[in-house]
Every structure is written in structure tokens, then in C-alpha cells.
Amino acid sequence: MDNGLQQDKIYVTRSLMPSYEEYIEEIKPLWDSHWLTNMGAYHQQLETKLAEFLDVQNVSLTANGHMALELTLQALDLPEGGEVITTPYTFISTTHAIIRNGLQPVFCDIKDNYTIDETKIENLITEKTVAIVPVHVYGNICNINAISEIASKHELKVVYDAAHAFGERFHGQPVAGFGDASVFSFHATKVFHTIEGGAVCSNDHTIYDKMYNLKNFGIRSEDTVVAVGANAKMNEFQAIMGLCNLRHIEDAITHRKQLYEQYISILKDTQWLTLNSPDKDIAYNYGYFPVLFKDAKQRDFIYEELQKQDIYTRKYFYPLTCDALCFEEKFNACDLTRARDFSQRVLVLPLYPDLTPEQVERIAKSLIEAGGKCI
Ligand SMILES: *Cc1c(COP(=O)(O)O)cnc(C)c1O
């Protein structure tokens, strides 16, 4: 069977995997214990190891990142109908988590680094505002100090969607400790993953405690149900994938960094292209390589041209979450000039640890060539 062509396809990401032998060896004990889920030994072990690695007091593991976000908002007991200031420049999960809690998203525009524009937050605060849900987009960190000041002044909760910021530090401080809670996704496409999975991180033990109830039906012992919880537990196969991947995460990030720098060296002088430049004070995880084109026409043209060469980039994030079909035209009135502009001009290029330098060169050169046909 000739699948040579198939192998040449380059997707925007490719899941990190431990060796087959490493994973198989680690899951073998499950055939003795038959303990496959319900906060088993591996679930507990991964919570402890991640708390150490992320430098935060509590890590509560969940079945996926979305449930981590949705249940964290629930854990904060925010009043029904309350307004939550957030960004539309994110994955749809952020917005859905707010709405599925009976809360109202209020969309704020973004800055040059794609994160929420903290200078526009206060204008959006009303009597009904209860929380802020910012996102560390592409691993660029939000202005945590300004957001924290606004939150204390107006007595608002802050939950960071940190799905893109695994393992990062900002001015030496671990990202997992920001806000009332910081939430990670460990989906297969993320820098660190557990196949599907997520975590709620906090230095406040009450959040860990409430999350335990919310992810396990509120069951605290065989005959005691203390809360109306859902089911969002991480199972043992997921936790073991996490324990294996955690052994290799530093190598994976180092490899990402090399490829990232190679992209920059090839693309930096291309006049019609804007590259992301993460703040120097971030210990960055090199999760994504977003580029901005001149306009939507050029972006869409290059996207198509690269696909013809089996290079699959992503329009990420496009459309804005507030423009999703399911919301019809409900959020049309928001002033989101920059978010709308960026979402029409952005592409995320392939970046994953086992991408080769030859492939990076092929992608970058094809992009320059295609762009040259549409300036
Ligand atoms: C991946 C992601 C999520 C959702 O995580 P899942 O694990 O896929 O449920 C939420 N927010 C952002 C910004 C993400 O990238």
C-alpha cells in the first residue's frame, strides 16, 4: 500500500506520545487492580505531580478542559443571570461555560497580544457584573495585575482560561496560581495532554473541595451525597498518559522552541506578515505559531494555497465566539474592532515537537511564496 502522500500531510498539530512500551508498561497494573476510575491511585499521583510541576497548591483533575471551566464557574456560586466580562477571541468552550452556568457573557475587545484589553474592562462593569474570565491566548499572558486590581475594587471573581499556558511563568510566578482559579485543558492537541482531560488549579483549598463534589456527583462516602454534582472525573488511563507525557514535557517544549525560532528566522523579514512576540518576562511554552496577514483576502488565499500543498493551517480563532451561529445576532452591538480584525487576518501554522526542520522550512517558504502572489 502506497501511503507516501498521506504521510506528507502536515496538520496544525500532532499529539505528543510516550513510546508504546512506556505506556503499556504503566497501564499493566490496572489488569491486577481492576481500578479504572473514581480517583484511583494514578489520578491522585498525577494531581500531586502536577501541583509540583505547576507550582500551585491544589490541582483537581477532570475528564476534559471544558468541564473544568464549567464546573469552576459553578463552584464560585455566582448569582443566576450575572454578567461575566470575557473575550470573544477564544475557543467556543470559554463562552459556552459561562452561558451553561446561566450567566451572561459581556464581550470585551483584545490587545495586540490577542488577550483581553484590560483598559476596556471597567467600562463594561455594571451592577450585574460578577466575574471576569480572561484567556491567555497562544500562551501570551493577560495583564494579571491590572485585572486583579479591577477585580478587588469591584468585588469580582476571576477565572483564567489557561488552556494555552501550560507550565508557563510570568515574572517568575506560576500561571496556575493566577485568579481565583486557573483552568487547563489536557486535550490531545495541547502542549501537555492526557488524551482528553483538564485541571482546575488554585491556591484556595475550598475550590479543590467544591470541584471534588462537582466532578463526582457530590458523593463523599458510600451513603453521603453532599452536593448536586455532575460526573467529570479523569480516569486512570488518562492519568497514566499524563504521567508518561509529564516525563517528556520539558524535552517537548525545548523542541518546540527550536522550531519556533526557525520559523522566526525565515519569516521575520516578510513585510506583509506580523509575527507574535511573547513578552520577554514569560517562560513561554511555544504552543502555537500564529501569524497575521494584511487582510482577510490574503489570509484566505494563503490558507487555500497551503492546503493544495498538504499543509493544513488553522483559522484559529475565527469566527469570534460571539458570532457563532448558535447565538444568532445577539451580540452584534459589542465593540470588538480589534478582535474582529485579527480573527479575519490570523492563521496558526503547524507546530509540534516532532515536526522536522525540513518541514518548517517547507511551510515557511510555501507561505512566503503564496503570499507573494496576493499582496
Ligand atoms: C482546548 C481549549 C478549551 C477546552 O478544552 P477541552 O479539553 O477541549 O474541553 C477551552 N479553552 C481554550 C482556550 C482551549 O484552547
Side-chain angles (χ1 to χ4, degrees), residues 249-266 284-287 289 350-361 364:
I249 192 68
E250 277 166 342
D251 282 350
I253 291 173
T254 303
H255 206 162
R256 283 176 172 277
K257 178 171 194 260
Q258 289 161 357
L259 300 163
Y260 189 98
E261 285 170 352
Q262 191 193 350
Y263 266 129
I264 292 194
S265 74
I266 306 176
Y284 196 53
N285 68 15
Y286 303 92
F289 199 92
L351 182 60
Y352 46 84
D354 55 3
L355 194 68
T356 65
E358 293 71 32
Q359 287 173 315
V360 168
E361 192 174 328

PDB file of all heavy atoms in Angstrom, residues 249-266 284-287 289 350-361 364:
ATOM      1  N   ILE A 249       7.811  16.320  28.970  1.00  0.00           N
ATOM      2  CA  ILE A 249       7.283  17.640  28.606  1.00  0.00           C
ATOM      3  C   ILE A 249       8.396  18.668  28.413  1.00  0.00           C
ATOM      4  O   ILE A 249       8.319  19.507  27.506  1.00  0.00           O
ATOM      5  CB  ILE A 249       6.207  18.132  29.612  1.00  0.00           C
ATOM      6  CG1 ILE A 249       5.461  19.339  29.065  1.00  0.00           C
ATOM      7  CG2 ILE A 249       6.789  18.471  30.969  1.00  0.00           C
ATOM      8  CD1 ILE A 249       4.595  19.056  27.886  1.00  0.00           C
ATOM      9  N   GLU A 250       9.440  18.589  29.233  1.00  0.00           N
ATOM     10  CA  GLU A 250      10.484  19.602  29.089  1.00  0.00           C
ATOM     11  C   GLU A 250      11.217  19.459  27.747  1.00  0.00           C
ATOM     12  O   GLU A 250      11.482  20.450  27.067  1.00  0.00           O
ATOM     13  CB  GLU A 250      11.423  19.596  30.297  1.00  0.00           C
ATOM     14  CG  GLU A 250      10.763  20.428  31.407  1.00  0.00           C
ATOM     15  CD  GLU A 250      11.352  20.289  32.794  1.00  0.00           C
ATOM     16  OE1 GLU A 250      12.077  19.291  33.056  1.00  0.00           O
ATOM     17  OE2 GLU A 250      11.078  21.172  33.618  1.00  0.00           O
ATOM     18  N   ASP A 251      11.487  18.220  27.361  1.00  0.00           N
ATOM     19  CA  ASP A 251      12.085  17.977  26.036  1.00  0.00           C
ATOM     20  C   ASP A 251      11.174  18.470  24.922  1.00  0.00           C
ATOM     21  O   ASP A 251      11.632  19.057  23.934  1.00  0.00           O
ATOM     22  CB  ASP A 251      12.293  16.469  25.807  1.00  0.00           C
ATOM     23  CG  ASP A 251      13.515  15.966  26.556  1.00  0.00           C
ATOM     24  OD1 ASP A 251      14.283  16.812  27.070  1.00  0.00           O
ATOM     25  OD2 ASP A 251      13.689  14.724  26.628  1.00  0.00           O
ATOM     26  N   ALA A 252       9.881  18.199  25.090  1.00  0.00           N
ATOM     27  CA  ALA A 252       8.927  18.581  24.047  1.00  0.00           C
ATOM     28  C   ALA A 252       8.924  20.101  23.871  1.00  0.00           C
ATOM     29  O   ALA A 252       8.909  20.607  22.740  1.00  0.00           O
ATOM     30  CB  ALA A 252       7.530  18.074  24.396  1.00  0.00           C
ATOM     31  N   ILE A 253       8.958  20.834  24.981  1.00  0.00           N
ATOM     32  CA  ILE A 253       8.934  22.302  24.901  1.00  0.00           C
ATOM     33  C   ILE A 253      10.247  22.827  24.303  1.00  0.00           C
ATOM     34  O   ILE A 253      10.236  23.758  23.483  1.00  0.00           O
ATOM     35  CB  ILE A 253       8.609  22.921  26.287  1.00  0.00           C
ATOM     36  CG1 ILE A 253       7.143  22.615  26.648  1.00  0.00           C
ATOM     37  CG2 ILE A 253       8.854  24.440  26.293  1.00  0.00           C
ATOM     38  CD1 ILE A 253       6.710  23.018  28.044  1.00  0.00           C
ATOM     39  N   THR A 254      11.363  22.198  24.669  1.00  0.00           N
ATOM     40  CA  THR A 254      12.650  22.591  24.077  1.00  0.00           C
ATOM     41  C   THR A 254      12.633  22.409  22.565  1.00  0.00           C
ATOM     42  O   THR A 254      13.089  23.264  21.800  1.00  0.00           O
ATOM     43  CB  THR A 254      13.792  21.731  24.672  1.00  0.00           C
ATOM     44  OG1 THR A 254      13.764  21.886  26.085  1.00  0.00           O
ATOM     45  CG2 THR A 254      15.145  22.125  24.134  1.00  0.00           C
ATOM     46  N   HIS A 255      12.057  21.289  22.140  1.00  0.00           N
ATOM     47  CA  HIS A 255      11.993  21.019  20.703  1.00  0.00           C
ATOM     48  C   HIS A 255      11.079  22.019  19.989  1.00  0.00           C
ATOM     49  O   HIS A 255      11.393  22.534  18.914  1.00  0.00           O
ATOM     50  CB  HIS A 255      11.520  19.580  20.483  1.00  0.00           C
ATOM     51  CG  HIS A 255      11.992  19.031  19.180  1.00  0.00           C
ATOM     52  ND1 HIS A 255      12.019  17.697  18.882  1.00  0.00           N
ATOM     53  CD2 HIS A 255      12.457  19.659  18.080  1.00  0.00           C
ATOM     54  CE1 HIS A 255      12.477  17.540  17.650  1.00  0.00           C
ATOM     55  NE2 HIS A 255      12.748  18.715  17.154  1.00  0.00           N
ATOM     56  N   ARG A 256       9.938  22.324  20.635  1.00  0.00           N
ATOM     57  CA  ARG A 256       9.034  23.332  20.084  1.00  0.00           C
ATOM     58  C   ARG A 256       9.757  24.669  19.912  1.00  0.00           C
ATOM     59  O   ARG A 256       9.583  25.369  18.925  1.00  0.00           O
ATOM     60  CB  ARG A 256       7.848  23.556  21.031  1.00  0.00           C
ATOM     61  CG  ARG A 256       6.784  22.487  20.983  1.00  0.00           C
ATOM     62  CD  ARG A 256       5.726  22.769  22.042  1.00  0.00           C
ATOM     63  NE  ARG A 256       4.602  21.875  21.912  1.00  0.00           N
ATOM     64  CZ  ARG A 256       3.586  22.060  21.057  1.00  0.00           C
ATOM     65  NH1 ARG A 256       3.549  23.126  20.278  1.00  0.00           N
ATOM     66  NH2 ARG A 256       2.607  21.178  20.982  1.00  0.00           N
ATOM     67  N   LYS A 257      10.573  25.012  20.926  1.00  0.00           N
ATOM     68  CA  LYS A 257      11.281  26.293  20.904  1.00  0.00           C
ATOM     69  C   LYS A 257      12.214  26.383  19.690  1.00  0.00           C
ATOM     70  O   LYS A 257      12.276  27.412  19.010  1.00  0.00           O
ATOM     71  CB  LYS A 257      12.086  26.452  22.195  1.00  0.00           C
ATOM     72  CG  LYS A 257      12.897  27.719  22.291  1.00  0.00           C
ATOM     73  CD  LYS A 257      13.473  27.878  23.702  1.00  0.00           C
ATOM     74  CE  LYS A 257      14.008  29.271  23.937  1.00  0.00           C
ATOM     75  NZ  LYS A 257      15.442  29.390  23.816  1.00  0.00           N
ATOM     76  N   GLN A 258      12.921  25.282  19.409  1.00  0.00           N
ATOM     77  CA  GLN A 258      13.841  25.291  18.265  1.00  0.00           C
ATOM     78  C   GLN A 258      13.092  25.538  16.962  1.00  0.00           C
ATOM     79  O   GLN A 258      13.518  26.320  16.109  1.00  0.00           O
ATOM     80  CB  GLN A 258      14.599  23.957  18.183  1.00  0.00           C
ATOM     81  CG  GLN A 258      15.614  23.800  19.305  1.00  0.00           C
ATOM     82  CD  GLN A 258      16.040  22.341  19.527  1.00  0.00           C
ATOM     83  OE1 GLN A 258      15.525  21.423  18.874  1.00  0.00           O
ATOM     84  NE2 GLN A 258      16.963  22.135  20.443  1.00  0.00           N
ATOM     85  N   LEU A 259      11.941  24.867  16.804  1.00  0.00           N
ATOM     86  CA  LEU A 259      11.169  25.003  15.571  1.00  0.00           C
ATOM     87  C   LEU A 259      10.582  26.409  15.472  1.00  0.00           C
ATOM     88  O   LEU A 259      10.558  27.020  14.395  1.00  0.00           O
ATOM     89  CB  LEU A 259      10.058  23.950  15.539  1.00  0.00           C
ATOM     90  CG  LEU A 259      10.575  22.502  15.582  1.00  0.00           C
ATOM     91  CD1 LEU A 259       9.462  21.537  15.968  1.00  0.00           C
ATOM     92  CD2 LEU A 259      11.197  22.107  14.249  1.00  0.00           C
ATOM     93  N   TYR A 260      10.114  26.923  16.600  1.00  0.00           N
ATOM     94  CA  TYR A 260       9.553  28.258  16.696  1.00  0.00           C
ATOM     95  C   TYR A 260      10.583  29.289  16.228  1.00  0.00           C
ATOM     96  O   TYR A 260      10.300  30.180  15.427  1.00  0.00           O
ATOM     97  CB  TYR A 260       9.172  28.494  18.158  1.00  0.00           C
ATOM     98  CG  TYR A 260       8.378  29.741  18.446  1.00  0.00           C
ATOM     99  CD1 TYR A 260       6.994  29.686  18.575  1.00  0.00           C
ATOM    100  CD2 TYR A 260       9.012  30.960  18.650  1.00  0.00           C
ATOM    101  CE1 TYR A 260       6.253  30.813  18.883  1.00  0.00           C
ATOM    102  CE2 TYR A 260       8.276  32.098  18.955  1.00  0.00           C
ATOM    103  CZ  TYR A 260       6.909  32.015  19.075  1.00  0.00           C
ATOM    104  OH  TYR A 260       6.176  33.138  19.376  1.00  0.00           O
ATOM    105  N   GLU A 261      11.817  29.129  16.725  1.00  0.00           N
ATOM    106  CA  GLU A 261      12.871  30.080  16.357  1.00  0.00           C
ATOM    107  C   GLU A 261      13.263  29.942  14.891  1.00  0.00           C
ATOM    108  O   GLU A 261      13.607  30.920  14.230  1.00  0.00           O
ATOM    109  CB  GLU A 261      14.070  29.913  17.296  1.00  0.00           C
ATOM    110  CG  GLU A 261      13.728  30.526  18.656  1.00  0.00           C
ATOM    111  CD  GLU A 261      14.717  30.231  19.771  1.00  0.00           C
ATOM    112  OE1 GLU A 261      15.644  29.406  19.555  1.00  0.00           O
ATOM    113  OE2 GLU A 261      14.546  30.808  20.862  1.00  0.00           O
ATOM    114  N   GLN A 262      13.160  28.730  14.381  1.00  0.00           N
ATOM    115  CA  GLN A 262      13.445  28.538  12.953  1.00  0.00           C
ATOM    116  C   GLN A 262      12.404  29.270  12.097  1.00  0.00           C
ATOM    117  O   GLN A 262      12.750  29.948  11.125  1.00  0.00           O
ATOM    118  CB  GLN A 262      13.454  27.047  12.624  1.00  0.00           C
ATOM    119  CG  GLN A 262      14.009  26.765  11.229  1.00  0.00           C
ATOM    120  CD  GLN A 262      13.724  25.335  10.771  1.00  0.00           C
ATOM    121  OE1 GLN A 262      13.274  24.490  11.560  1.00  0.00           O
ATOM    122  NE2 GLN A 262      13.970  25.076   9.484  1.00  0.00           N
ATOM    123  N   TYR A 263      11.114  29.143  12.480  1.00  0.00           N
ATOM    124  CA  TYR A 263      10.064  29.898  11.787  1.00  0.00           C
ATOM    125  C   TYR A 263      10.405  31.379  11.790  1.00  0.00           C
ATOM    126  O   TYR A 263      10.325  32.047  10.758  1.00  0.00           O
ATOM    127  CB  TYR A 263       8.717  29.732  12.506  1.00  0.00           C
ATOM    128  CG  TYR A 263       7.810  28.632  12.010  1.00  0.00           C
ATOM    129  CD1 TYR A 263       7.266  27.706  12.904  1.00  0.00           C
ATOM    130  CD2 TYR A 263       7.432  28.546  10.666  1.00  0.00           C
ATOM    131  CE1 TYR A 263       6.390  26.706  12.481  1.00  0.00           C
ATOM    132  CE2 TYR A 263       6.565  27.553  10.233  1.00  0.00           C
ATOM    133  CZ  TYR A 263       6.039  26.635  11.146  1.00  0.00           C
ATOM    134  OH  TYR A 263       5.176  25.672  10.723  1.00  0.00           O
ATOM    135  N   ILE A 264      10.763  31.909  12.966  1.00  0.00           N
ATOM    136  CA  ILE A 264      11.036  33.346  13.073  1.00  0.00           C
ATOM    137  C   ILE A 264      12.197  33.731  12.165  1.00  0.00           C
ATOM    138  O   ILE A 264      12.137  34.738  11.450  1.00  0.00           O
ATOM    139  CB  ILE A 264      11.319  33.733  14.536  1.00  0.00           C
ATOM    140  CG1 ILE A 264      10.018  33.554  15.324  1.00  0.00           C
ATOM    141  CG2 ILE A 264      11.850  35.176  14.648  1.00  0.00           C
ATOM    142  CD1 ILE A 264       9.973  34.161  16.676  1.00  0.00           C
ATOM    143  N   SER A 265      13.237  32.916  12.143  1.00  0.00           N
ATOM    144  CA  SER A 265      14.399  33.297  11.339  1.00  0.00           C
ATOM    145  C   SER A 265      14.038  33.337   9.851  1.00  0.00           C
ATOM    146  O   SER A 265      14.551  34.174   9.120  1.00  0.00           O
ATOM    147  CB  SER A 265      15.597  32.381  11.625  1.00  0.00           C
ATOM    148  OG  SER A 265      15.383  31.136  11.025  1.00  0.00           O
ATOM    149  N   ILE A 266      13.133  32.490   9.406  1.00  0.00           N
ATOM    150  CA  ILE A 266      12.761  32.521   7.981  1.00  0.00           C
ATOM    151  C   ILE A 266      11.746  33.627   7.679  1.00  0.00           C
ATOM    152  O   ILE A 266      11.786  34.246   6.628  1.00  0.00           O
ATOM    153  CB  ILE A 266      12.198  31.152   7.514  1.00  0.00           C
ATOM    154  CG1 ILE A 266      13.177  30.022   7.844  1.00  0.00           C
ATOM    155  CG2 ILE A 266      11.899  31.177   6.003  1.00  0.00           C
ATOM    156  CD1 ILE A 266      12.680  28.636   7.506  1.00  0.00           C
ATOM    157  N   TYR A 284       7.967  30.853  28.243  1.00  0.00           N
ATOM    158  CA  TYR A 284       6.950  30.533  27.229  1.00  0.00           C
ATOM    159  C   TYR A 284       6.932  29.036  26.929  1.00  0.00           C
ATOM    160  O   TYR A 284       7.968  28.373  27.037  1.00  0.00           O
ATOM    161  CB  TYR A 284       7.318  31.331  25.968  1.00  0.00           C
ATOM    162  CG  TYR A 284       6.233  31.454  24.935  1.00  0.00           C
ATOM    163  CD1 TYR A 284       4.970  31.932  25.271  1.00  0.00           C
ATOM    164  CD2 TYR A 284       6.479  31.112  23.603  1.00  0.00           C
ATOM    165  CE1 TYR A 284       3.985  32.052  24.299  1.00  0.00           C
ATOM    166  CE2 TYR A 284       5.504  31.234  22.631  1.00  0.00           C
ATOM    167  CZ  TYR A 284       4.253  31.707  22.990  1.00  0.00           C
ATOM    168  OH  TYR A 284       3.282  31.829  22.031  1.00  0.00           O
ATOM    169  N   ASN A 285       5.754  28.519  26.510  1.00  0.00           N
ATOM    170  CA  ASN A 285       5.686  27.071  26.206  1.00  0.00           C
ATOM    171  C   ASN A 285       5.693  26.751  24.711  1.00  0.00           C
ATOM    172  O   ASN A 285       5.598  25.588  24.330  1.00  0.00           O
ATOM    173  CB  ASN A 285       4.482  26.422  26.914  1.00  0.00           C
ATOM    174  CG  ASN A 285       3.147  26.903  26.348  1.00  0.00           C
ATOM    175  OD1 ASN A 285       3.077  27.500  25.275  1.00  0.00           O
ATOM    176  ND2 ASN A 285       2.067  26.625  27.070  1.00  0.00           N
ATOM    177  N   TYR A 286       5.753  27.769  23.870  1.00  0.00           N
ATOM    178  CA  TYR A 286       5.850  27.572  22.414  1.00  0.00           C
ATOM    179  C   TYR A 286       4.737  26.677  21.875  1.00  0.00           C
ATOM    180  O   TYR A 286       4.954  25.810  21.034  1.00  0.00           O
ATOM    181  CB  TYR A 286       7.247  27.037  22.031  1.00  0.00           C
ATOM    182  CG  TYR A 286       8.332  27.972  22.509  1.00  0.00           C
ATOM    183  CD1 TYR A 286       8.928  27.799  23.761  1.00  0.00           C
ATOM    184  CD2 TYR A 286       8.711  29.073  21.753  1.00  0.00           C
ATOM    185  CE1 TYR A 286       9.868  28.689  24.238  1.00  0.00           C
ATOM    186  CE2 TYR A 286       9.655  29.964  22.212  1.00  0.00           C
ATOM    187  CZ  TYR A 286      10.228  29.763  23.459  1.00  0.00           C
ATOM    188  OH  TYR A 286      11.168  30.647  23.916  1.00  0.00           O
ATOM    189  N   GLY A 287       3.531  26.920  22.371  1.00  0.00           N
ATOM    190  CA  GLY A 287       2.384  26.088  21.992  1.00  0.00           C
ATOM    191  C   GLY A 287       1.845  26.354  20.598  1.00  0.00           C
ATOM    192  O   GLY A 287       1.365  25.439  19.940  1.00  0.00           O
ATOM    193  N   PHE A 289       2.007  28.934  16.783  1.00  0.00           N
ATOM    194  CA  PHE A 289       2.699  29.926  15.967  1.00  0.00           C
ATOM    195  C   PHE A 289       1.684  30.678  15.105  1.00  0.00           C
ATOM    196  O   PHE A 289       1.454  30.341  13.940  1.00  0.00           O
ATOM    197  CB  PHE A 289       3.782  29.272  15.091  1.00  0.00           C
ATOM    198  CG  PHE A 289       4.784  30.272  14.594  1.00  0.00           C
ATOM    199  CD1 PHE A 289       5.944  30.532  15.304  1.00  0.00           C
ATOM    200  CD2 PHE A 289       4.541  31.017  13.432  1.00  0.00           C
ATOM    201  CE1 PHE A 289       6.858  31.489  14.879  1.00  0.00           C
ATOM    202  CE2 PHE A 289       5.442  31.988  13.003  1.00  0.00           C
ATOM    203  CZ  PHE A 289       6.611  32.210  13.724  1.00  0.00           C
ATOM    204  N   PRO A 350       1.477  25.054  11.581  1.00  0.00           N
ATOM    205  CA  PRO A 350       1.788  23.792  12.264  1.00  0.00           C
ATOM    206  C   PRO A 350       2.969  23.950  13.224  1.00  0.00           C
ATOM    207  O   PRO A 350       3.975  24.576  12.876  1.00  0.00           O
ATOM    208  CB  PRO A 350       2.158  22.849  11.109  1.00  0.00           C
ATOM    209  CG  PRO A 350       1.407  23.401   9.932  1.00  0.00           C
ATOM    210  CD  PRO A 350       1.441  24.893  10.117  1.00  0.00           C
ATOM    211  N   LEU A 351       2.827  23.418  14.419  1.00  0.00           N
ATOM    212  CA  LEU A 351       3.920  23.444  15.401  1.00  0.00           C
ATOM    213  C   LEU A 351       3.686  22.331  16.410  1.00  0.00           C
ATOM    214  O   LEU A 351       2.679  22.328  17.112  1.00  0.00           O
ATOM    215  CB  LEU A 351       3.981  24.795  16.117  1.00  0.00           C
ATOM    216  CG  LEU A 351       5.117  24.961  17.150  1.00  0.00           C
ATOM    217  CD1 LEU A 351       6.484  24.806  16.512  1.00  0.00           C
ATOM    218  CD2 LEU A 351       5.016  26.316  17.855  1.00  0.00           C
ATOM    219  N   TYR A 352       4.590  21.349  16.414  1.00  0.00           N
ATOM    220  CA  TYR A 352       4.514  20.244  17.379  1.00  0.00           C
ATOM    221  C   TYR A 352       5.901  19.628  17.472  1.00  0.00           C
ATOM    222  O   TYR A 352       6.726  19.796  16.562  1.00  0.00           O
ATOM    223  CB  TYR A 352       3.444  19.223  16.977  1.00  0.00           C
ATOM    224  CG  TYR A 352       3.440  18.806  15.528  1.00  0.00           C
ATOM    225  CD1 TYR A 352       4.287  17.796  15.062  1.00  0.00           C
ATOM    226  CD2 TYR A 352       2.591  19.418  14.607  1.00  0.00           C
ATOM    227  CE1 TYR A 352       4.269  17.402  13.732  1.00  0.00           C
ATOM    228  CE2 TYR A 352       2.577  19.042  13.272  1.00  0.00           C
ATOM    229  CZ  TYR A 352       3.417  18.021  12.838  1.00  0.00           C
ATOM    230  OH  TYR A 352       3.402  17.652  11.533  1.00  0.00           O
ATOM    231  N   PRO A 353       6.183  18.922  18.592  1.00  0.00           N
ATOM    232  CA  PRO A 353       7.561  18.519  18.859  1.00  0.00           C
ATOM    233  C   PRO A 353       8.208  17.675  17.758  1.00  0.00           C
ATOM    234  O   PRO A 353       9.395  17.819  17.520  1.00  0.00           O
ATOM    235  CB  PRO A 353       7.460  17.709  20.159  1.00  0.00           C
ATOM    236  CG  PRO A 353       6.210  18.162  20.798  1.00  0.00           C
ATOM    237  CD  PRO A 353       5.282  18.588  19.715  1.00  0.00           C
ATOM    238  N   ASP A 354       7.463  16.818  17.081  1.00  0.00           N
ATOM    239  CA  ASP A 354       8.168  16.016  16.073  1.00  0.00           C
ATOM    240  C   ASP A 354       8.009  16.521  14.643  1.00  0.00           C
ATOM    241  O   ASP A 354       8.275  15.805  13.679  1.00  0.00           O
ATOM    242  CB  ASP A 354       7.880  14.506  16.212  1.00  0.00           C
ATOM    243  CG  ASP A 354       6.410  14.182  16.179  1.00  0.00           C
ATOM    244  OD1 ASP A 354       5.614  15.122  16.000  1.00  0.00           O
ATOM    245  OD2 ASP A 354       6.062  12.999  16.342  1.00  0.00           O
ATOM    246  N   LEU A 355       7.652  17.786  14.512  1.00  0.00           N
ATOM    247  CA  LEU A 355       7.756  18.448  13.211  1.00  0.00           C
ATOM    248  C   LEU A 355       9.259  18.547  12.919  1.00  0.00           C
ATOM    249  O   LEU A 355      10.049  18.781  13.834  1.00  0.00           O
ATOM    250  CB  LEU A 355       7.147  19.852  13.331  1.00  0.00           C
ATOM    251  CG  LEU A 355       6.825  20.642  12.064  1.00  0.00           C
ATOM    252  CD1 LEU A 355       5.681  19.994  11.301  1.00  0.00           C
ATOM    253  CD2 LEU A 355       6.415  22.081  12.422  1.00  0.00           C
ATOM    254  N   THR A 356       9.660  18.360  11.664  1.00  0.00           N
ATOM    255  CA  THR A 356      11.105  18.397  11.377  1.00  0.00           C
ATOM    256  C   THR A 356      11.508  19.790  10.884  1.00  0.00           C
ATOM    257  O   THR A 356      10.673  20.533  10.361  1.00  0.00           O
ATOM    258  CB  THR A 356      11.482  17.380  10.283  1.00  0.00           C
ATOM    259  OG1 THR A 356      10.837  17.772   9.055  1.00  0.00           O
ATOM    260  CG2 THR A 356      11.068  15.960  10.657  1.00  0.00           C
ATOM    261  N   PRO A 357      12.791  20.140  11.017  1.00  0.00           N
ATOM    262  CA  PRO A 357      13.274  21.415  10.474  1.00  0.00           C
ATOM    263  C   PRO A 357      13.010  21.522   8.972  1.00  0.00           C
ATOM    264  O   PRO A 357      12.707  22.611   8.464  1.00  0.00           O
ATOM    265  CB  PRO A 357      14.780  21.379  10.757  1.00  0.00           C
ATOM    266  CG  PRO A 357      14.927  20.446  11.914  1.00  0.00           C
ATOM    267  CD  PRO A 357      13.842  19.420  11.765  1.00  0.00           C
ATOM    268  N   GLU A 358      13.068  20.396   8.256  1.00  0.00           N
ATOM    269  CA  GLU A 358      12.786  20.414   6.808  1.00  0.00           C
ATOM    270  C   GLU A 358      11.333  20.811   6.573  1.00  0.00           C
ATOM    271  O   GLU A 358      11.025  21.563   5.649  1.00  0.00           O
ATOM    272  CB  GLU A 358      13.047  19.032   6.179  1.00  0.00           C
ATOM    273  CG  GLU A 358      14.511  18.598   6.160  1.00  0.00           C
ATOM    274  CD  GLU A 358      15.057  18.234   7.560  1.00  0.00           C
ATOM    275  OE1 GLU A 358      14.266  17.736   8.406  1.00  0.00           O
ATOM    276  OE2 GLU A 358      16.261  18.484   7.810  1.00  0.00           O
ATOM    277  N   GLN A 359      10.434  20.292   7.405  1.00  0.00           N
ATOM    278  CA  GLN A 359       9.014  20.634   7.244  1.00  0.00           C
ATOM    279  C   GLN A 359       8.757  22.105   7.571  1.00  0.00           C
ATOM    280  O   GLN A 359       7.994  22.770   6.880  1.00  0.00           O
ATOM    281  CB  GLN A 359       8.145  19.727   8.128  1.00  0.00           C
ATOM    282  CG  GLN A 359       8.044  18.305   7.589  1.00  0.00           C
ATOM    283  CD  GLN A 359       7.329  17.383   8.561  1.00  0.00           C
ATOM    284  OE1 GLN A 359       7.593  17.393   9.751  1.00  0.00           O
ATOM    285  NE2 GLN A 359       6.414  16.569   8.053  1.00  0.00           N
ATOM    286  N   VAL A 360       9.416  22.618   8.613  1.00  0.00           N
ATOM    287  CA  VAL A 360       9.246  24.028   8.964  1.00  0.00           C
ATOM    288  C   VAL A 360       9.694  24.892   7.786  1.00  0.00           C
ATOM    289  O   VAL A 360       9.017  25.853   7.400  1.00  0.00           O
ATOM    290  CB  VAL A 360      10.042  24.393  10.242  1.00  0.00           C
ATOM    291  CG1 VAL A 360      10.107  25.903  10.445  1.00  0.00           C
ATOM    292  CG2 VAL A 360       9.414  23.744  11.461  1.00  0.00           C
ATOM    293  N   GLU A 361      10.809  24.514   7.189  1.00  0.00           N
ATOM    294  CA  GLU A 361      11.320  25.277   6.055  1.00  0.00           C
ATOM    295  C   GLU A 361      10.329  25.233   4.887  1.00  0.00           C
ATOM    296  O   GLU A 361      10.032  26.256   4.271  1.00  0.00           O
ATOM    297  CB  GLU A 361      12.671  24.702   5.625  1.00  0.00           C
ATOM    298  CG  GLU A 361      13.379  25.609   4.650  1.00  0.00           C
ATOM    299  CD  GLU A 361      14.796  25.120   4.337  1.00  0.00           C
ATOM    300  OE1 GLU A 361      15.431  24.519   5.234  1.00  0.00           O
ATOM    301  OE2 GLU A 361      15.238  25.329   3.201  1.00  0.00           O
ATOM    302  N   ALA A 364       7.241  27.474   5.819  1.00  0.00           N
ATOM    303  CA  ALA A 364       7.547  28.909   5.824  1.00  0.00           C
ATOM    304  C   ALA A 364       7.785  29.403   4.394  1.00  0.00           C
ATOM    305  O   ALA A 364       7.288  30.465   4.005  1.00  0.00           O
ATOM    306  CB  ALA A 364       8.752  29.186   6.709  1.00  0.00           C
TER     307      ALA A 364
END
